[in-house]
Amino acid sequence: SAVISQKPSRDICQRGTSLTIQCQVDSQVTMMFWYRQQPGQSLTLIATANQGSEATYESGFVIDKFPISRPNLTFSTLTVSNMSPEDSSIYLCSVGQGGADTQYFGPGTRLTVL
Amino acid sequence: AQSVTQLDSQVPVFEEAPVELRCNYSSSVSVYLFWYVQYPNQGLQLLLKYLSGSTLVESINGFEAEFNKSQTSFHLRKPSVHISDTAEYFCAVSPMNTGFQKLVFGTGTRLLVSP
């Protein structure tokens, strides 16, 4: 299984600012995913990021608000832009290999927006 | 579209007692089914999965889940829980036509095991 790290592990931010979350994997992976887990709610897929192509966003999520980079096969970033208190969530990245049947998750980034 | 329902947000149980965490889903297409576990201050870990074959699947730490297609359920059970099983458990489905790229999660069930 892949070992995934995320930075930062948590942060407290002011509204109107932006935060970039990093996801690092210890092996090359085809697919990387970003999820949001709002308080008391389930995980929701934000977007899928494959290296060499634009991220694919799920309904309700847009690139201007959540720009994603995927510069290589072991790294991705998610930026939460122009934050508001409603963006307070845990953000998780996960990885999967093409044809593999399991996604592996990072430890998450706990974001609080004041 | 898919949805996953975990009716119990929290399940308190005494150590060595049996437990069942319920999961029901709805989907217009066939799905794969997963249980993930999140221990305190840790990331999600895959507990077990149903892809095909026997409808009863087991994990290495004594949990089992049974896929019931007619009831669209995938309940998780353990005959005797330990304190260390205290965690949040998430049921998830993945439509078979998405190549495991799309996971839809339930809201989670917090299992609290006390001595």
Side-chain angles (χ1 to χ4, degrees):
Chain A
S1 65
V3 177
I4 305 163
S5 60
Q6 285 186 234
K7 290 181 181 179
S9 59
R10 58 178 63 222
D11 207 343
I12 301 173
C13 301
Q14 297 296 320
R15 70 168 67 215
T17 62
S18 298
L19 177 72
T20 295
I21 302 168
Q22 299 178 4
C23 179
Q24 180 76 52
V25 191
D26 68 341
S27 58
Q28 294 184 339
V29 294
T30 307
M31 297 178 287
M32 297 184 80
F33 307 90
W34 287 98
Y35 289 82
R36 181 174 72 182
Q37 184 180 11
Q38 293 179 299
Q41 305 207 11
S42 63
L43 284 79
T44 303
L45 180 64
I46 298 171
T48 302
N50 294 332
Q51 195 268 338
S53 62
E54 294 290 322
T56 304
Y57 289 83
E58 296 296 307
S59 174
F61 298 96
V62 295
I63 188 171
D64 289 346
K65 176 66 176 177
F66 297 101
I68 288 171
S69 77
R70 181 78 199 274
N72 57 51
L73 292 173
T74 63
F75 187 78
S76 178
T77 67
L78 169 77
T79 299
V80 186
S81 303
N82 188 24
M83 289 184 285
S84 67
E86 293 70 35
D87 294 319
S88 297
S89 294
I90 298 174
Y91 292 86
L92 301 101
C93 71
S94 73
V95 303
Q97 288 284 18
D101 57 25
T102 300
Q103 286 188 28
Y104 298 97
F105 284 80
T109 296
R110 185 180 294 273
L111 171 62
T112 302
V113 184
L114 303 177
Chain B
Q2 291 73 39
S3 68
V4 178
T5 302
Q6 293 180 250
L7 285 173
D8 305 306
S9 60
Q10 189 165 291
V11 173
V13 64
F14 289 109
E15 192 174 21
E16 298 184 4
V19 70
E20 178 180 81
L21 307 184
R22 295 179 293 168
C23 172
N24 289 88
Y25 70 93
S26 104
S27 176
S28 55
V29 300
S30 296
V31 295
Y32 302 113
L33 298 119
F34 304 83
W35 276 99
Y36 281 84
V37 58
Q38 187 173 32
Y39 297 103
N41 301 313
Q42 296 187 29
L44 269 74
Q45 302 172 31
L46 179 69
L47 186 61
L48 46 75
K49 60 189 176 187
Y50 171 76
L51 304 180
S52 65
S54 171
T55 56
L56 183 66
V57 291
E58 298 177 355
S59 72
I60 59 173
N61 58 352
F63 282 93
E64 65 179 29
E66 185 160 22
F67 170 50
N68 187 318
K69 188 173 183 178
S70 63
Q71 297 185 9
T72 60
S73 68
F74 192 53
H75 301 330
L76 182 70
R77 301 183 184 94
K78 189 170 185 180
S80 176
V81 295
H82 301 290
I83 297 284
S84 59
D85 292 324
T86 294
E88 185 114 25
Y89 292 80
F90 293 92
C91 181
V93 301
S94 179
M96 287 187 179
N97 59 0
T98 64
F100 303 101
Q101 291 197 43
K102 187 173 180 65
L103 276 174
V104 177
F105 284 87
T107 50
T109 298
R110 186 173 300 275
L111 177 63
L112 297 170
V113 183
S114 54

